[in-house]
Amino acid sequence: MKILKFGGTSVGSPQRMHSLVELITDGKPKIVVLSAMSGTTNALVDISQALYSKEHDEAGQLIAALEKKYTEVVNELFSSETSRLKGFELISTHFDYLRSFTRDLFTVNEERAILAQGELISTALFQFLLEEKQVASVLLPALNFMRINANAEPDMEYITENIRYELNKYPGIELFITQGYICRNDYGETDNLKRGGSDYTATIIGAAVRAEEIQIWTDIDGMHNNDPRVVNSTYPIAKLTFDEAAELAYFGAKILHPTCILPAKNENIPVKLLNTLQPDAAGTIISSENQAEGFRAVAAKDGITAINIKSGRMLLAYGFLRAVFEVFERYRKPIDMITTSEVAVSVTVDNTDDLVNIVEELNEFGTVNVDSDLSIVSIVGLFPADKPGYAGSIFDALRNIPVRMISYGGSENNISILVDTKLKKQTLLALNKGLFGLE
Ligand code: ADP
Ligand code: ASP
Ligand code: MG
């Protein structure tokens, strides 16, 4: 069994959906995970925002605009009148549901229910298309088996048991379609795996059914050596280890959801990154196979805040770091980077939730400074601790960049630096030239 995940662009138009049917109907058993059509989740976020701020007219207009788009999709997607009617009925059910919130109280739960509509619609339409083309397939509702626990982590035991139960209901069926991104939480409510979460759905399902391979199909020919949204000359990387891919995903390579590599790594299932627009391109293979030492890629993560705690008492005081980290632990706040000196420690976090309370508590230990609008730039590859030259090449490349923090030696796969976000592009360009020889 293989898992194939198709992102927003891959289902972004009726033509793309037709090409997708071609791509997946080779008779081999597979579970196909679909995202919402591109732009839909963003539109649903805007609708939620308008409802949250009680701008009901604005929400109504946004809903109408999105419904118009889907009406056109349904018109174009199907060739028979019967399928078209089924499509229109589906669309009106979902949009009547969205409209119902323009009169109701609006809560976080309802926001999550709204965000789930994109994947529910794309998969239902795609299943109708397969039915019209007489391809035997079953639509598996992700809400019947995808679940996160109280820590917002996938409940692998529940998922494994329930997806197997769902699959066993359909002996003889080789093609299953399901929604990416959406799940239930600990309370059984509709929730999601955070933006870009369909990749995570694919690797979680892959681990649950012990798939032979997970394929992430998107709009680019694999993981590139630098962020193609920022830097012009980049190239696809043929092979990555799970650890390298996990570092790149976590530190900003948008092609992968930040934590989606772990389930595949845990079960040692190779992940291929492939391009729907160029299906024959080699793409990237992520596996446990060792790779040569050297620089593989750089990525950048924005929205970083640095917190610096300076204390006379840190000098020779064991227990100081523990006390500082306990504050972050109490607020369940992950720390991305840490650097220390004899009198100070700096850490970075990737959102400002609870920051005011955290800073207030840290004030007890010394003088606290907070800096925002920063980016972590991560250099990923294999840098054995006993091999010279890697730090030298990086420092050389960054000769003209004011670097705020450096984290080296935490793992052999990642060297991270912190810069002002306004210098991100310059930093990525400098590394592209210095480490990869690309202008
Ligand atoms: P999908 O909707 O298919 O999930 P995404 O937009 O989430 O697609 O991810 C693909 C995009 O990731 C690419 O179009 C590219 O702009 C962006 N991206 C950022 N960094 C990288 C990288 N290092 N390699 C490849 N793509 C990257
Ligand atoms: N549709 C969701 C999003 O836009 C999930 C995904 O595309 O992976 O974030
Ligand atoms: Mg994505």
Side-chain angles (χ1 to χ4, degrees):
M1 177 77 98
K2 289 188 182 177
I3 316 299
L4 282 72
K5 175 261 171 175
F6 294 91
T9 327
S10 310
V11 288
S13 67
Q15 290 88 327
R16 296 248 62 83
M17 288 201 206
H18 280 273
S19 316
L20 207 59
V21 176
E22 305 287 308
L23 209 68
I24 63 169
T25 45
D26 56 3
K28 299 195 181 132
K30 53 178 75 70
I31 301 177
V32 172
V33 175
L34 300 184
S35 293
M37 294 180 79
S38 52
T40 299
T41 311
N42 286 344
L44 294 169
V45 168
D46 293 344
I47 290 167
S48 304
Q49 222 100 64
L51 290 170
Y52 186 73
S53 31
K54 298 203 180 333
E55 289 160 5
H56 289 149
D57 288 349
E58 164 80 2
Q61 282 162 20
L62 293 170
I63 294 169
L66 194 60
E67 185 171 21
K68 183 164 175 281
K69 177 185 148 175
Y70 276 96
T71 308
E72 285 160 14
V73 168
V74 168
N75 259 326
E76 252 187 78
L77 184 62
F78 302 109
S79 35
S80 80
E81 215 38 52
T82 326
S83 307
R84 232 172 251 138
L85 279 177
K86 281 202 300 193
F88 285 132
E89 213 174 297
L90 176 96
I91 296 304
S92 49
T93 312
H94 285 278
F95 282 87
D96 286 349
Y97 177 70
L98 287 179
R99 262 186 293 274
S100 72
F101 295 109
T102 56
R103 294 180 291 277
D104 287 353
L105 191 70
F106 194 64
T107 65
V108 172
N109 285 346
E110 279 145 1
E111 176 180 4
R112 292 174 182 151
I114 287 181
L115 295 184
Q117 299 308 305
E119 273 72 12
L120 291 171
I121 298 176
S122 65
T123 48
L125 289 178
F126 192 67
Q127 174 65 20
F128 288 162
L129 182 63
L130 290 169
E131 282 166 18
E132 181 174 73
K133 290 182 181 269
Q134 300 186 324
V135 176
S137 65
V138 164
L139 178 59
L140 290 184
L143 297 181
N144 289 1
F145 59 86
M146 283 300 290
R147 198 178 174 106
I148 49 175
N149 61 24
N151 296 328
E153 279 159 10
D155 181 342
M156 286 308 295
E157 208 176 307
Y158 178 95
I159 296 166
T160 304
E161 187 181 322
N162 284 280
I163 193 165
R164 290 187 177 176
Y165 173 79
E166 291 289 323
L167 291 168
N168 286 337
K169 284 187 196 166
Y170 306 100
I173 290 287
E174 305 279 31
L175 177 60
F176 294 93
I177 312 297
T178 193
Q179 298 87 15
Y181 178 59
I182 66 174
C183 61
R184 288 193 193 277
N185 61 25
D186 212 24
Y187 301 105
E189 300 153 345
T190 301
D191 209 318
N192 60 64
L193 300 172
K194 308 262 162 59
R195 296 305 305 273
S198 300
D199 303 331
Y200 205 11
T201 303
T203 57
I204 292 167
I205 293 179
V209 305
R210 308 280 193 276
E212 64 184 276
E213 183 177 295
I214 299 159
Q215 300 179 354
I216 311 261
W217 289 81
T218 181
D219 57 3
I220 190 164
D221 55 348
M223 177 74 79
H224 280 222
N225 72 305
N226 204 328
D227 193 328
R229 296 166 300 177
V230 182
V231 173
N232 281 333
S233 61
T234 62
Y235 59 84
I237 307 161
K239 290 179 179 183
L240 285 171
T241 63
F242 287 122
D243 291 336
E244 290 166 349
E247 296 278 1
L248 287 167
Y250 187 75
F251 286 109
K254 191 191 172 227
I255 185 169
L256 289 173
H257 174 278
T259 54
C260 75
I261 289 301
L262 191 62
K265 183 188 168 185
N266 286 345
E267 299 300 330
N268 196 16
I269 302 167
V271 179
K272 278 191 187 164
L273 308 181
L274 296 161
N275 187 355
T276 356
L277 309 168
Q278 237 180 295
D280 297 327
T284 299
I285 301 176
I286 302 164
S287 72
S288 55
E289 190 189 318
N290 289 337
Q291 298 304 325
E293 64 172 271
F295 297 112
R296 214 81 66 216
V298 296
K301 180 171 169 177
D302 298 335
I304 303 295
T305 302
I307 306 160
N308 175 269
I309 307 124
K310 201 169 186 178
S311 166
R313 276 184 292 156
M314 184 173 163
L315 190 69
L316 298 180
Y318 55 84
F320 174 81
L321 287 178
R322 193 203 59 213
V324 166
F325 290 144
E326 269 174 1
V327 175
F328 289 89
E329 191 184 339
R330 270 200 295 286
Y331 288 93
R332 292 171 166 268
K333 186 77 151 174
I335 291 171
D336 283 339
M337 271 178 89
I338 310 166
T339 55
T340 60
S341 81
E342 204 154 83
V343 292
V345 55
S346 285
V347 301
T348 70
V349 294
D350 67 3
N351 67 66
T352 52
D353 300 345
D354 292 319
L355 196 59
V356 174
N357 297 330
I358 291 173
V359 169
E360 199 179 301
E361 291 200 29
L362 291 173
N363 269 324
E364 280 186 31
F365 307 122
T367 316
V368 180
N369 276 306
V370 176
D371 266 327
S372 47
D373 299 323
L374 304 173
S375 296
I376 294 177
V377 174
S378 287
I379 299 133
V380 172
L382 180 62
F383 322 115
D386 58 350
K387 294 287 171 64
Y390 293 111
S393 307
I394 292 168
F395 284 125
D396 220 19
L398 298 176
R399 194 181 305 116
N400 298 317
I401 312 272
V403 173
R404 295 206 169 219
M405 272 169 76
I406 299 178
S407 177
Y408 186 105
S411 86
E412 290 191 329
N413 295 120
N414 181 323
I415 300 163
S416 285
I417 60 159
L418 186 70
V419 295
D420 280 9
T421 298
K422 57 180 191 305
L423 296 173
K424 176 178 83 169
K425 181 168 184 176
Q426 200 184 326
T427 307
L428 291 178
L429 284 167
L431 291 169
N432 220 35
K433 187 168 179 201
L435 309 186
F436 302 104
L438 297 167
E439 290 290 338

